[in-house]
């Protein structure tokens, strides 16, 4: 049996078991490991799954490992130009992370690689301007006052963050739906390439990423809305900014393993949901695929 599939089948059946596993995998020390030998992989399964791509066997760049996502989250947005700058860095990082942690089994050629590069550049450009939309609204409708400020700073960032995070996954990893990804039987044997499995993997990952960024934007906003009613905070408004930054960091750090655990790393798909060539296979009705991250 394929060791990757066997490991996730035995350790990732439920949300809580996957959550415990991701807390182990997200050990900050593993992001600093640049050399992963066979010996290390056998001694430390968490190091393997945080540092080695399960499809290609190559070592993932430390910049785009799962632990590094927290680096791109705490970016200040003050004014249009700073917002565009920091959004560009954030969206570039997100696109790179999505590409580095994709399912890499799809057949590619030079034409496909060029298309993928164009899609990545387009995703970064679109998401950068869309991410700065709250600041653009504030500047354009600044005369409205409190209404525009409340909408732009408190309401709009929540769905916007979730949508842009999911959008980046859908576009950057679109080749998986176009070309298909490998599917496996219960013994870990690759039995073909499926576009339906690729689409399902992308949708699940996009939902998990939307949950990560949407929750990170929503919870601190709700917390501050409650704190602003307290007389202590009203007398000391200077504490609002530190509370926002600290709560955002905490929520984001907690949501990383939670969002990664929403769906199994090796997902299941019914044979009936796959292409026609899979219908004649002698299986128990379920096949497996690597979802990516």
């Amino acid at each position: 049996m394929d060791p990757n599939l066997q490991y996730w089948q035995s350790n990732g059946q439920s949300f809580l078991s996957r959550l415990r596993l991701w807390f182990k995998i997200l050990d900050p020390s593993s992001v600093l490991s640049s050399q992963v030998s066979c010996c290390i992989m056998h001694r430390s399964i968490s190091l393997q799954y945080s540092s080695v791509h399960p499809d290609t066997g190559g070592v993932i760049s430390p910049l785009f490992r799962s632990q590094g996502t927290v680096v791109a989250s705490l970016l200040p947005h003050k004014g249009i130009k700073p917002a565009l700058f920091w959004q560009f860095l954030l969206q570039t990082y997100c696109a790179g992370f999505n590409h580095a942690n994709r399912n890499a089994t799809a057949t590619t050629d030079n034409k496909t690689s060029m298309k993928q590069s164009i899609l990545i550049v387009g995703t970064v450009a679109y998401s950068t301007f869309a991410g700065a939309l709250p600041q653009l609204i504030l500047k354009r409708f600044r005369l409205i006052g409190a209404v525009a400020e409340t909408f732009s700073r408190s309401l709009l960032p929540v769905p916007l963050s979730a949508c842009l995070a999911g959008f980046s996954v859908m576009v950057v990893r679109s080749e998986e739906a176009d070309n298909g990804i490998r599917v496996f039987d219960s013994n870990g044997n690759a039995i073909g390439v499926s576009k339906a499995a690729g689409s399902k993997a992308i949708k699940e990952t996009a939902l998990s990423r939307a949950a990560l960024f949407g929750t990170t934007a929503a919870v601190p906003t709700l917390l501050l809305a409650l704190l602003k009613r307290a007389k202590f905070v009203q007398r000391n408004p200077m504490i609002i900014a530190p509370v926002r930054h600290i709560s955002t960091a905490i929520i984001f750090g907690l949501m990383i393993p939670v969002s990664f655990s929403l769906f199994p790393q090796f997902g299941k798909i019914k044979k009936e949901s796959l292409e026609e060539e899979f219908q004649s296979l002698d299986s128990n009705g379920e096949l497996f695929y690597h979802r990516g991250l």
Side-chain angles (χ1 to χ4, degrees), residues 6 57 119 145 269:
Q6 183 182 31
L119 287 175
I269 187 169

Side-chain angles (χ1 to χ4, degrees), residues 103 161 211 288:
N103 185 303
S161 298
F288 300 86

Side-chain angles (χ1 to χ4, degrees), residues 146-211:
V147 176
E149 184 170 354
T150 300
F151 175 75
S152 299
R153 295 189 184 278
S154 301
L155 300 179
L156 182 58
V158 176
L160 185 62
S161 298
C163 290
L164 289 179
F167 171 77
S168 180
V169 174
M170 296 287 287
V171 178
V172 171
R173 293 180 53 178
S174 59
E175 65 174 344
E176 297 172 35
D178 295 337
N179 300 324
I181 61 175
R182 278 204 296 260
V183 291
F184 306 85
D185 60 19
S186 58
N187 294 319
N189 300 313
I191 59 175
V193 175
S194 169
K195 295 181 181 180
S199 297
K200 189 170 185 288
I202 295 172
K203 291 177 182 178
E204 291 175 344
T205 306
L207 287 173
S208 69
R209 199 77 84 249

Side-chain angles (χ1 to χ4, degrees), residues 181-185 191 194-201 204 264 266-275 278-279 283-290:
I181 61 175
R182 278 204 296 260
V183 291
F184 306 85
D185 60 19
I191 59 175
S194 169
K195 295 181 181 180
S199 297
K200 189 170 185 288
E204 291 175 344
F266 270 86
K268 296 180 181 179
I269 187 169
K270 294 183 178 180
K271 185 175 66 174
E272 293 76 14
S273 301
L274 297 175
E275 290 82 349
F278 293 96
Q279 303 308 313
S283 65
N284 59 2
E286 285 187 336
L287 298 174
F288 300 86
Y289 58 91
H290 175 239

Side-chain angles (χ1 to χ4, degrees), residues 48-150:
Q48 175 183 355
Y49 286 105
S50 64
S51 306
V52 179
H53 197 289
D55 294 324
T56 66
V59 179
I60 300 174
S61 168
L63 181 62
F64 295 126
R65 293 177 192 172
S66 48
Q67 300 88 344
T69 52
V70 71
V71 177
S73 66
L74 306 177
L75 302 176
H77 294 168
K78 296 180 181 180
I80 295 178
K81 291 182 178 180
L84 288 172
F85 174 74
W86 290 113
Q87 278 293 324
F88 173 75
L89 293 183
L90 174 61
Q91 301 304 333
T92 299
Y93 177 84
C94 288
F97 181 88
N98 294 333
H99 187 263
N101 292 276
R102 72 196 188 284
N103 185 303
T105 62
T107 303
T108 60
D109 50 29
N110 292 334
K111 184 178 180 180
T112 302
S113 299
M114 178 63 68
K115 175 185 175 182
Q116 189 68 16
S117 299
I118 294 174
L119 287 175
I120 292 175
V121 172
T123 299
V124 172
Y126 177 84
S127 299
T128 295
F129 285 98
L133 187 60
Q135 292 297 330
L136 294 172
I137 292 178
L138 276 177
K139 185 173 180 63
R140 177 66 179 84
F141 300 103
R142 60 185 180 276
L143 296 179
I144 297 179
V147 176
E149 184 170 354
T150 300

